[in-house]
Amino acid sequence: NPPPLFNEVSATVIQAEKVDRLRNEVQTKHEEDYREALVTIKNDLKLIEGLDIKENLQDQIRHWFIECRNLTGTFPDYPDIEEGGSAIIFSNKTIQQEEDEKWKMSPSLFLPAMKEGCNAYKEIWMNKDESWNFSQDFDPELIKEEKRKELESEIRVQVDELMRQELKNLKLAVDREREHPAKAGKKKKKKGKKKEKKTKKDKDLTADRTIESLYKELVEEGLLIQALKVNLSDYIGEYSYLGTTLRQVSIEPMPSLLDVRQLITLYGIWPLGSAAVHEKAPLVKSLLLAGPSGVGKKMLVHAICTETGANLFNLSSSNIAGKYPGKNGLQMMLHAVFKVARQLQPSVVWIEDTEKTFYKKVPNAEKTNEPKRLKRHLPQILKLLKPDDRILIVGTTRRPFDAELQSFCKVYQKIILVPRPDYASRYVLWKQIIERNGGVLTSALNVSCLAKVTDGFTQGHIVKVVKAVLTDQRIRRQIHKPLTAVEFITTITSMNPVYKEEEESFKNWYAKTPLGKKRALAITGGSTEKAKDKGKRKE
């Protein structure tokens, strides 16, 4: 029922609405005044300070001419417009130091913008006295500072033209030498043009067809499929609280489910979902999800598509078997897939059981499916993907050790190990999946015990068990007979868990990959370098 006086409009509500309307009117007026002030203040500055700025710039540049003449004996070359003109002379630049050979994390391109924002707040707003500005109108002094810089850069272009001519006259009068850089520049440009003519454009095999017809064909062939509506938040997991402790005793733990979710966001969702992030973030064209069956690899692929609105193309060996036969057919299929993926980006190209594409030896039972059809073409496809293409190739595998390691790792830039859930994740999984399927948690259900007993079982096992136990009839009986851990444990005993040996085999395989070796060097880099230094000292 609605609360009392719900439908009656009180004087307080009327006053609040009035204040809200008034605030919107004031904001609109302030915005108009601010836009008008940007123009008028700049024009005023140009009239009052324009000549002074011009003279100061000319004096600075002339002083630079004389300094260079005294130091080197000749006048300097004036910077070109493309280089920034005279502004580059007075900019404070430092020589970049050479980086060490050992692995270092590349600097983030997003960090400078964040630092700039923080510094602007500290310099301008943190200690600013706004007591005089109760109406929150624009500050003319701030606009003057901003427009003064704009005006200076505009005047600098005019001054550069004058000073460039003045420098030429000085060189003629003092050095009696005339430089001719233009001819050399023209020759270089001509050479460059010849090279451009030699490059050939890729042939469009479907130039006579529309994107709509190609899209329809790929859907009918089952190569373009509808992604399941799964959010990344549905991938339940917890942080590994023992990870830091294990690293302190030189044991590298498996990543936690929360780590996996974070990596999927960094490498998949953000670059595909945002063109701005894709432009600045490190370019990742391919991603491999490796882990035992039932840990949610397929779910993560669908989650990437759901979160970004990406199209999902399925190029798994089992899905393309018998489709587009022959060499020309395969070429046509890949051309159509990536043409549509590029036109309708963001797109995800999924290869399930991707180890089959890189089999060391194809089993006799699978030879008719030709699982290695894409092996030679995938590296070429990666090279053809341009930096502005928001296309991600995602492979999933439960047996990466069956693949040829070298060719496998050439295709996949990033490898994410998806582990079986640890105790903390199992505890959260049991609670949330039981509640999502209509179960009620009571003191009779020991979730902690359930999480401890089910060590080795995956998310897939837990979902199957919960659905098997929580039938419609059992959900209705919960009022009289609460759920207990024994019901779930009895059902799960018939399933095979992921044993620790299988998980270790994934860790050992990853340690052999180039990424695994780099990680090991990054972890043990400090100790090995110290050992080398001690050896040199002894010698």
Side-chain angles (χ1 to χ4, degrees):
N1 292 327
L5 305 173
F6 181 74
N7 295 319
E8 294 180 18
V9 181
S10 66
T12 310
V13 173
I14 293 168
Q15 180 63 22
E17 289 175 353
K18 186 180 176 182
V19 170
D20 195 35
R21 283 196 301 273
L22 184 63
R23 185 183 292 114
N24 289 336
E25 288 171 9
V26 172
Q27 285 176 341
T28 307
K29 188 179 181 300
H30 283 182
E31 180 67 23
E32 289 171 0
D33 292 345
Y34 173 69
R35 295 293 171 195
E36 191 180 336
L38 289 175
V39 179
T40 54
I41 290 174
K42 185 179 178 180
N43 291 335
D44 291 344
L45 280 172
K46 194 171 184 179
L47 289 169
I48 298 165
E49 300 180 15
L51 285 172
D52 292 334
I53 292 170
K54 187 176 180 180
E55 286 175 8
N56 287 335
L57 289 173
Q58 286 177 325
D59 289 342
Q60 287 176 6
I61 295 165
R62 285 194 189 101
H63 187 66
W64 173 64
F65 290 166
I66 295 161
E67 278 187 349
C68 290
R69 170 75 178 169
N70 292 338
L71 288 169
T72 62
T74 57
F75 286 111
D77 293 328
Y78 207 93
D80 294 330
I81 298 167
E82 293 80 14
E83 294 174 348
S86 61
I88 200 170
I89 303 165
F90 306 104
S91 61
N92 296 321
K93 291 191 174 181
T94 55
I95 300 167
Q96 291 183 352
Q97 296 178 348
E98 292 183 6
E99 292 185 356
D100 298 335
E101 290 183 3
K102 64 181 182 180
W103 181 86
K104 277 189 176 182
M105 184 179 285
S106 57
S108 170
L109 295 174
F110 299 93
L111 194 59
M114 294 173 71
K115 282 184 176 177
E116 188 181 341
C118 289
N119 292 335
Y121 169 73
K122 287 177 184 175
E123 291 170 9
I124 300 169
W125 300 107
M126 191 163 71
N127 299 316
K128 189 172 177 61
D129 182 16
E130 285 275 284
S131 58
W132 62 273
N133 193 9
F134 181 77
S135 62
Q136 289 296 287
D137 207 345
F138 67 85
D139 187 345
E141 290 305 317
L142 285 178
I143 295 175
K144 278 182 183 178
E145 285 178 26
E146 184 185 333
K147 292 300 172 184
R148 198 173 277 119
K149 290 175 184 176
E150 273 185 35
L151 188 63
E152 186 178 319
S153 61
E154 288 173 11
I155 293 171
R156 189 182 287 279
V157 175
Q158 300 169 9
V159 171
D160 283 350
E161 287 296 321
L162 294 170
M163 299 310 292
R164 212 173 264 116
Q165 188 60 44
E166 189 173 317
L167 182 62
K168 281 183 181 179
N169 295 336
L170 283 169
K171 284 183 176 180
L172 281 170
V174 180
D175 298 333
R176 302 294 179 188
E177 290 177 1
R178 185 186 289 273
E179 294 178 4
H180 303 279
K183 289 181 181 179
K186 286 178 183 177
K187 287 178 183 178
K188 286 179 183 178
K189 284 179 182 177
K190 285 178 183 177
K191 287 180 182 178
K193 284 179 182 177
K194 287 180 183 178
K195 286 182 181 178
E196 284 174 10
K197 287 179 183 177
K198 289 180 182 179
T199 57
K200 292 181 180 178
K201 291 183 179 179
D202 297 324
K203 289 182 180 178
D204 189 353
L205 302 176
T206 55
D208 57 335
R209 295 187 59 183
T210 62
I211 292 295
E212 288 78 9
S213 67
L214 290 171
Y215 188 96
K216 186 181 177 184
E217 183 183 319
L218 293 173
V219 171
E220 288 170 351
E221 291 290 341
L223 299 177
L224 179 55
I225 62 173
Q226 188 173 2
L228 300 173
K229 289 186 179 179
V230 182
N231 294 313
L232 191 65
S233 57
D234 296 330
Y235 187 78
I236 304 162
E238 189 55 274
Y239 180 76
S240 176
Y241 297 100
L242 290 173
T244 309
T245 310
L246 290 170
R247 287 191 185 96
Q248 287 173 352
V249 292
S250 302
I251 299 171
E252 185 60 24
M254 285 291 280
S256 68
L257 299 187
L258 207 66
D259 293 331
V260 171
R261 199 163 74 187
Q262 186 181 6
L263 290 171
I264 291 293
T265 305
L266 290 173
Y267 294 139
I269 292 171
W270 282 351
L272 283 179
S274 168
V277 174
H278 182 80
E279 187 183 345
K280 290 187 177 181
L283 184 62
V284 177
K285 297 178 181 179
S286 55
L287 188 65
L288 177 67
L289 305 178
S293 182
V295 293
K297 301 183 294 295
K298 190 189 293 185
M299 178 186 177
L300 289 169
V301 175
H302 287 280
I304 292 171
C305 296
T306 304
E307 297 286 356
T308 60
N311 294 291
L312 182 58
F313 299 85
N314 187 352
L315 292 186
S316 307
S317 58
S318 57
N319 192 46
I320 63 171
K323 297 172 185 176
Y324 297 90
K327 187 179 178 182
N328 292 335
L330 180 63
Q331 194 175 358
M332 179 64 75
M333 179 189 76
L334 292 172
H335 173 79
V337 165
F338 282 92
K339 184 178 180 179
V340 174
R342 191 174 279 113
Q343 287 289 327
L344 305 177
Q345 55 185 300
S347 298
V348 172
V349 179
W350 175 36
I351 306 173
E352 190 179 13
D353 296 328
T354 188
E355 78 280 353
K356 294 180 180 180
T357 309
F358 302 90
Y359 263 145
K360 294 174 185 174
K361 187 179 179 183
V362 181
N364 293 328
E366 294 185 35
K367 280 184 178 178
T368 53
N369 292 339
E370 295 182 277
K372 296 174 76 171
R373 284 178 78 191
L374 295 177
K375 184 183 175 182
R376 290 181 182 177
H377 295 275
L378 283 175
Q380 296 170 6
I381 288 165
L382 284 171
K383 287 179 183 177
L384 291 172
L385 288 179
K386 297 172 184 175
D388 57 343
D389 289 334
R390 284 189 289 154
I391 299 172
L392 183 66
I393 297 173
V394 182
T396 55
T397 175
R398 52 187 172 180
R399 293 192 60 82
F401 9 86
D402 291 346
E404 292 175 5
L405 189 64
Q406 191 175 1
S407 54
F408 201 40
C409 294
K410 272 185 182 178
V411 169
Y412 292 106
Q413 290 174 266
K414 300 290 180 184
I415 299 171
I416 299 175
L417 289 182
V418 187
R420 56 183 189 168
D422 56 6
Y423 170 78
S425 292
R426 289 195 304 276
Y427 183 82
V428 176
L429 277 162
W430 277 113
K431 282 181 72 175
Q432 293 201 23
I433 292 171
I434 288 170
E435 286 179 334
R436 286 183 184 186
N437 286 273
V440 179
L441 300 174
T442 62
S443 57
L445 178 59
N446 191 337
V447 181
S448 179
C449 171
L450 198 58
K452 188 70 178 172
V453 171
T454 54
D455 185 17
F457 290 94
T458 63
Q459 299 96 309
H461 290 129
I462 293 170
V463 170
K464 283 180 184 176
V465 169
V466 170
K467 286 184 176 179
V469 172
L470 291 176
T471 58
D472 293 340
Q473 187 180 0
R474 184 67 187 90
I475 290 168
R476 287 194 296 269
R477 289 173 57 205
Q478 285 182 102
I479 302 167
H480 308 291
K481 187 182 178 183
L483 293 170
T484 59
V486 178
E487 295 177 70
F488 298 100
I489 292 167
T490 307
T491 310
I492 210 167
T493 50
S494 59
M495 300 177 181
N496 293 321
V498 176
Y499 294 103
K500 199 172 183 180
E501 291 77 12
E502 186 179 346
E503 194 172 76
E504 286 297 320
S505 65
F506 278 93
K507 284 179 74 174
N508 295 335
W509 170 82
Y510 180 72
K512 294 175 186 175
T513 64
L515 283 172
K517 288 176 181 177
K518 282 181 182 178
R519 183 172 176 79
L521 281 171
I523 293 165
T524 60
S527 57
T528 52
E529 281 176 10
K530 285 177 185 176
K532 284 178 184 177
D533 290 340
K534 285 180 182 177
K536 284 178 182 177
R537 284 173 190 172
K538 284 178 182 178
E539 285 172 12

